[in-house]
C-alpha cells in the first residue's frame, strides 16, 4: 500500500517538474511590457508620496488628500471603465493646486522609490541559496548556467 502511494508521488512530482520545465523553457520576458504595466499603476501607488510632498511644500493635508482622491477616481475611471491609459499624472500637472510639486513629479513617482531593498534581497538569495544549489548540477546543463540580472 505504501509502495503504491510512493509510486504515485514520484510520478506526480516528475509530472510537475516536467510541466515547470516546459513553462520556463518557453518563457520570454519583455521588459518594455513590464515597464508599461508598472507605469500604469505607479500614479496610484505614489499617492502617499505625492501627498507628503505637497504637505512639505505647505499644502493642507486634508485638502490635498481630497484633491488626490478626486483625481485618482477620475483617472481610475479612464482605466477601468473606458479602457484608456492612466492619466493621473497629466491631471496633476494640469491642476494648479499641485504646482509646488510639478517640477519634482518625476522624482516623486520614480519606480525605484517603491521597491525597497528588493534588489539586494534577490541578489543575496541568488548568492546564498540558488547558485550553491545548482552548482553540483552545472555539468548536466545543456548550455551555460542561466544568469539572472536584477
Amino acid at each position: 500500500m505504501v509502495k503504491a502511494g510512493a509510486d504515485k508521488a514520484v510520478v506526480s512530482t516528475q509530472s510537475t517538474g516536467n510541466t515547470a520545465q516546459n513553462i520556463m523553457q518557453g518563457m520570454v520576458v519583455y521588459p518594455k511590457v513590464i515597464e508599461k504595466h508598472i507605469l500604469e499603476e505607479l500614479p496610484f501607488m505614489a499617492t502617499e508620496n505625492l501627498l507628503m510632498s505637497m504637505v512639505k511644500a505647505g499644502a493642507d493635508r486634508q485638502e490635498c488628500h481630497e484633491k488626490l482622491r478626486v483625481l485618482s477616481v477620475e483617472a481610475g475611471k479612464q482605466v477601468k471603465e473606458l479602457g484608456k491609459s492612466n492619466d493621473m499624472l497629466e491631471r496633476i500637472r494640469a491642476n494648479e493646486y499641485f504646482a509646488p510639486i510639478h517640477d519634482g513629479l518625476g522624482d516623486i513617482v520614480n519606480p525605484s522609490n517603491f521597491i525597497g531593498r528588493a534588489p539586494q534581497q534577490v541578489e543575496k538569495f541568488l548568492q546564498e541559496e540558488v547558485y550553491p544549489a545548482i552548482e553540483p548540477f552545472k555539468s548536466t546543463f545543456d548550455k551555460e548556467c542561466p544568469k539572472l540580472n536584477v
Side-chain angles (χ1 to χ4, degrees):
M1 190 68 139
V2 173
K3 184 173 176 9
D7 290 345
K8 289 179 182 179
V10 169
V11 170
S12 177
T13 302
Q14 286 176 330
S15 177
T16 301
N18 289 340
T19 301
Q21 182 178 8
N22 288 339
I23 291 169
M24 296 305 284
Q25 283 180 331
M27 184 181 291
V28 179
V29 176
Y30 296 103
K32 289 296 181 184
V33 173
I34 294 169
E35 180 182 1
K36 178 183 181 288
H37 289 297
I38 289 171
L39 294 177
E40 282 287 311
E41 294 300 321
L42 191 59
F44 298 130
M45 296 184 327
T47 54
E48 185 66 26
N49 293 29
L50 294 164
L51 177 65
M52 290 186 305
S53 296
M54 282 296 292
V55 170
K56 283 180 187 175
D60 177 75
R61 186 187 183 288
Q62 296 295 68
E63 181 182 8
C64 183
H65 183 272
E66 179 60 18
K67 289 185 180 293
L68 282 171
R69 187 192 67 75
V70 169
L71 293 180
S72 182
V73 169
E74 291 171 353
K77 181 178 180 179
Q78 296 296 308
V79 173
K80 297 170 189 168
E81 293 180 20
L82 304 176
K84 295 183 177 180
S85 294
N86 186 336
D87 65 353
M88 185 166 165
L89 294 179
E90 288 78 22
R91 291 172 184 274
I92 289 171
R93 284 186 187 98
N95 191 315
E96 193 58 35
Y97 177 82
F98 293 99
I101 63 168
H102 283 167
D103 290 341
L105 207 50
D107 292 332
I108 296 168
V109 299
N110 184 328
S112 65
N113 294 338
F114 302 91
I115 60 172
R117 293 190 55 247
Q120 294 87 358
Q121 290 170 327
V122 168
E123 188 58 42
K124 181 179 179 185
F125 179 73
L126 290 172
Q127 295 300 326
E128 294 179 5
E129 303 292 334
V130 175
Y131 295 147
I134 63 174
E135 185 64 35
F137 306 100
K138 275 180 122 173
S139 64
T140 64
F141 295 160
D142 292 333
K143 48 188 171 181
E144 185 180 322
C145 180
K147 299 285 185 207
L148 296 177
N149 295 315
V150 290

